């Protein structure tokens, strides 16, 4: 405890100019090796992948912020392409309101805007399939272009956090992201609300989502794919996450309904996953369970039939080798819903980096 | 002047009570003098150092971090967060990547921290208790309690 005289000491040092973080460019990515097999020669594949190199920068000046995440990514054709993953310009009005415009990861569930494309930060090798990106077979609109607002309010011992988004939403093609313009007039609206308790439960996040969109109809390309009329989509979800006391816990559940406006046919897909890990110094062993059920009649927007549903279980370990390198090893099995389909076993190793 | 003496003692007691937790052991939390917050709860400090809270007294919040092996910072992290400094720095790294947190300012000494915290309202930093005894008027102590 210091005496008042010391607390009141007046120094004549003049204040320097306003503190500002310098703009820095960070590099993220991962190199993977995987073996996947159904137990037959024809059903076996293996190989290495150095398919992602990401450039990340962020800068804050007073209440304005800028963030960009640009990725060089190789796809099935084995050549690299440049993808602008996130570009956000934001203004912080108060604790209750921050507004961002640009291309962002939709505030849906927990995983999508917690880990982005940073395998280095994830405990497992990759995302659960239901929250994979559009080109990775995910069920969610992972990217969106528009306006995002968020804020935080005290609520009892804890806080309420909201995220509200107005965006272009989905394109007629599930793989496409509407970066330049929206294919129809109605916009996607997304609301996520979370409660962050205090006290003994400090660190816990529990939340829910409601997402609504009108998806434009697809043109018949003449390439064999049937034309698909306009669709109304809603997504409701719940999630929980906890990362205190060396624990890593994430659980999410989603129900997605696609209504064909021409026929009023409704297709409802259900999915969920749970992930649990515990850090022992640098080592974090983990398990993950995933489940997805497509409707009996299939979902024409996803292009999935009931037999494309699955359950998957994964077991692995992450080693936080340095501040910049993480090594991971993981084994998993996927059990397709289709009767008679063989289970698929996968073993994956990963070096994830952040410099 | 007994009345003046009593008033001085009371003033000293009140000021020290506010600063008590900030000065516990070998560290003190300091803020910019233009931002008048005198005390923060442990939960508030955690929220500011992990990007959950984005403002301090109405100003955009920005925190100053020190190296992993730095003694005052290590003690601050241990007492407020109850985790290793390495874990907090990794958490901050992820929150910056998420876009939830302003990139922290980096300091390697008490003088650095004082200079950076003096630079903008809403800036928070940790200095040694020794440095807290002769702070310039551009910064002030912030008590940690609750």
């Amino acid at each position: 405890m210091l005496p008042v005289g010391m607390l009141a000491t007046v120094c004549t040092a003049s204040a320097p100019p306003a503190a500002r973080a310098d703009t820095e460019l960070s590099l993220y990515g991962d190199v993977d090796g995987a073996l996947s097999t159904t137990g037959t020669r024809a059903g076996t594949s293996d190989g290495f992948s150095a398919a992602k190199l990401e450039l990340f920068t962020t800068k804050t000046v007073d209440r304005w912020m800028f963030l960009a995440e640009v990725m060089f990514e190789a796809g099935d054709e084995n050549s690299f392409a440049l993808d602008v993953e996130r570009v956000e310009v934001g203004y912080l009005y108060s604790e209750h309101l921050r507004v961002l415009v640009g291309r962002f990861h939709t505030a849906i569930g927990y995983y999508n805007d917690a880990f982005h494309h940073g395998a280095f930060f994830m405990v497992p090798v990759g995302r659960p399939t239901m929250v994979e990106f559009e080109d990775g077979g995910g069920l969610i609109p992972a990217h969106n272009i528009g306006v995002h607002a968020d804020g935080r309010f005290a609520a009892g011992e804890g806080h309420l956090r909201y995220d509200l988004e107005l965006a272009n939403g989905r394109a007629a093609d599930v793989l496409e992201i509407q970066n330049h313009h929206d294919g129809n007039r109605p916009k996607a609206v997304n609301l996520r609300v979370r409660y962050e308790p205090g006290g003994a439960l400090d660190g816990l996040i529990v939340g829910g989502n409601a997402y609504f969109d009108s998806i434009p109809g697809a043109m018949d390309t003449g390439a064999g794919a049937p034309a698909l009329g306009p669709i109304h989509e809603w997504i409701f979800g719940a999630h929980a996450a906890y990362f205190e006391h060396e624990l890593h816990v994430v659980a999410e559940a989603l129900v997605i309904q696609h209504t064909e406006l021409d026929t009023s046919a409704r297709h409802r897909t259900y999915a969920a996953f749970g992930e649990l890990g515990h850090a022992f110094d640098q080592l974090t062993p983990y398990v993950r369970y995933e489940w997805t059920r497509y409707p009996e009649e299939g979902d024409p927007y996803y292009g999935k039939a009931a037999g494309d549903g699955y359950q998957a279980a994964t077991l692995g370990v992450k080693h936080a080798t340095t501040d910049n390198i993480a090594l991971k090893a993981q084994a998993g099995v996927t059990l397709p819903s289709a009767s008679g389909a063989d289970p698929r076993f996968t073993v994956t190793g990963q070096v994830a980096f952040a410099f | 002047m007994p009345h003046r003496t009593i008033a001085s003692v009371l003033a000293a007691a009140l000021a020290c009570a506010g600063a008590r937790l900030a000065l516990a052991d070998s560290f003190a939390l300091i803020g910019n003098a233009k931002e008048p917050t005198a005390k923060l709860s442990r939960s508030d400090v955690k929220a500011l150092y992990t990007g959950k809270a984005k403002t301090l007294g109405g100003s955009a919040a920005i925190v100053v971090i020190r190296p992993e092996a730095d003694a005052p910072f290590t003690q601050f992290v241990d007492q407020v967060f109850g985790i290793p400094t390495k874990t907090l720095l990794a958490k901050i790294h992820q929150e910056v990547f998420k876009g939830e947190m302003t990139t922290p300012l980096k300091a390697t000494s008490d003088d650095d921290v004082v200079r950076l915290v003096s630079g903008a309202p809403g800036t928070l930093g940790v200095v040694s208790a020794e440095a807290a005894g002769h702070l310039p008027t551009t910064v002030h102590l912030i008590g940690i309690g609750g």
Side-chain angles (χ1 to χ4, degrees):
Chain A
M1 191 181 294
L2 293 179
V4 166
M6 293 180 76
L7 290 177
T9 298
V10 176
C11 294
T12 53
S14 59
R20 288 179 178 174
D22 291 333
T23 304
E24 293 178 358
L25 190 65
S26 302
L27 298 173
Y28 297 91
D30 54 276
V31 179
D32 302 353
L35 167 69
S36 177
T37 182
T38 57
T40 64
R41 192 176 185 85
T44 300
S45 63
D46 56 26
F48 299 98
S49 169
K52 292 173 191 162
L53 176 65
E54 180 172 271
L55 311 180
F56 174 84
T57 189
T58 181
K59 169 101 175 172
T60 301
V61 178
D62 299 326
R63 290 174 180 272
W64 288 94
M65 64 83 73
F66 171 78
L67 180 152
E69 185 185 13
V70 177
M71 182 178 281
F72 296 91
E73 188 172 19
D76 292 340
E77 70 289 350
N78 266 336
S79 58
F80 276 95
L82 188 64
D83 243 350
V84 178
E85 299 293 347
R86 282 188 286 165
V87 177
E88 300 171 5
V89 179
Y91 187 82
L92 177 67
Y93 286 93
S94 71
E95 195 67 32
H96 309 316
L97 180 63
R98 181 178 67 150
V99 177
L100 309 171
V101 294
R103 176 178 159 132
F104 44 81
H105 286 136
T106 311
I108 194 164
Y110 184 82
Y111 237 88
N112 194 45
D113 62 340
F115 297 108
H116 302 283
H117 293 266
F120 176 79
F121 299 110
M122 293 180 209
V123 172
V125 164
R127 291 177 161 226
T129 304
M130 70 178 242
V131 292
E132 265 289 3
F133 297 110
E134 291 85 348
D135 56 0
L139 300 176
I140 59 169
H143 298 89
N144 247 315
I145 293 84
V147 185
H148 167 108
D150 62 52
R152 193 168 178 260
F153 295 84
E157 266 202 328
H159 287 83
L160 271 179
R161 151 101 187 214
Y162 75 89
D163 296 84
L164 181 63
E165 294 169 340
L166 181 71
N168 284 349
R170 303 247 213 198
D173 181 346
V174 70
L175 300 178
E176 185 185 330
I177 297 162
Q178 303 194 108
N179 293 309
H180 183 271
H181 62 273
D182 192 355
N184 62 3
R185 292 288 310 281
K187 298 291 168 275
V189 177
N190 179 45
L191 174 65
R192 180 175 68 185
V193 179
R194 284 177 168 171
Y195 183 60
E196 303 165 351
L201 293 175
D202 188 27
L204 176 66
I205 293 170
V206 290
N209 262 96
Y211 179 96
F212 304 92
D213 191 16
S214 287
I215 303 171
M219 300 287 285
D220 186 346
T221 60
L228 186 61
I231 288 174
H232 183 258
E233 175 181 61
W234 58 245
I235 303 173
F236 290 102
H239 61 276
Y242 186 72
F243 301 106
E244 299 290 319
H245 306 295
E246 313 293 338
L247 282 170
H248 169 96
V249 182
V250 187
E252 294 189 35
L254 287 176
V255 53
I256 302 153
Q257 179 168 292
H258 290 140
T259 303
E260 296 184 65
L261 297 182
D262 292 344
T263 62
S264 298
R266 293 175 180 173
H267 315 285
R268 200 172 285 182
T269 298
Y270 299 87
F273 77 86
E275 193 173 284
L276 174 65
H278 190 290
F280 300 95
D281 293 326
Q282 293 169 286
L283 273 182
T284 305
Y286 58 87
V287 292
R288 177 195 281 167
Y289 172 76
E290 300 176 61
W291 169 80
T292 294
R293 192 180 88 187
Y294 293 104
E296 284 302 318
E297 71 284 5
D299 185 307
Y301 183 66
Y302 290 135
K304 298 288 188 184
D308 291 319
Y310 61 88
Q311 294 182 73
T314 305
L315 179 69
V317 63
K318 175 182 180 181
H319 184 265
T321 309
T322 72
D323 292 344
N324 309 100
I325 296 288
L327 304 178
K328 304 177 198 175
Q330 158 176 313
V333 58
T334 302
L335 306 168
S337 300
S339 61
D342 293 323
R344 174 165 290 279
F345 299 90
T346 305
V347 179
T348 312
Q350 181 180 77
V351 180
F353 58 85
F355 287 97
Chain B
M1 289 286 190
H3 286 97
R4 185 171 294 176
T5 305
I6 291 167
S8 299
V9 169
L10 282 173
L14 287 170
C16 287
R20 185 173 54 208
L21 287 166
L23 294 171
D25 298 313
S26 65
F27 72 87
L29 185 66
I30 62 170
N32 186 285
K34 291 176 186 164
E35 203 298 295
T37 302
K39 191 172 181 181
L40 291 168
S41 69
R42 191 177 301 258
S43 172
D44 290 337
V45 176
K46 287 173 78 171
L48 287 160
Y49 267 84
T50 53
K52 281 183 176 175
K54 294 177 173 53
T55 60
L56 176 62
S59 301
I62 183 165
V63 300
V64 181
I65 57 172
R66 301 178 66 151
E68 188 183 334
D70 181 271
F73 194 61
T74 298
Q75 185 146 24
F76 161 73
V77 175
D78 180 56
Q79 291 198 5
V80 174
F81 294 82
I83 57 175
T85 306
K86 186 187 184 79
T87 305
L88 175 64
L89 294 176
K91 175 76 175 161
I92 289 172
H93 185 184
Q94 185 177 356
E95 294 302 322
V96 170
F97 182 73
K98 284 165 70 173
E100 289 295 323
M101 186 171 178
T102 298
T103 306
L105 302 170
K106 292 175 184 166
T108 55
S109 66
D110 288 331
D111 288 345
D112 272 355
V113 175
V114 169
R115 179 178 56 82
L116 292 169
V117 172
S118 297
T123 310
L124 273 180
V126 174
V127 295
S128 66
E130 184 187 6
H134 46 84
L135 294 172
T137 54
T138 51
V139 301
H140 69 106
L141 291 168
I142 297 178
I144 304 172

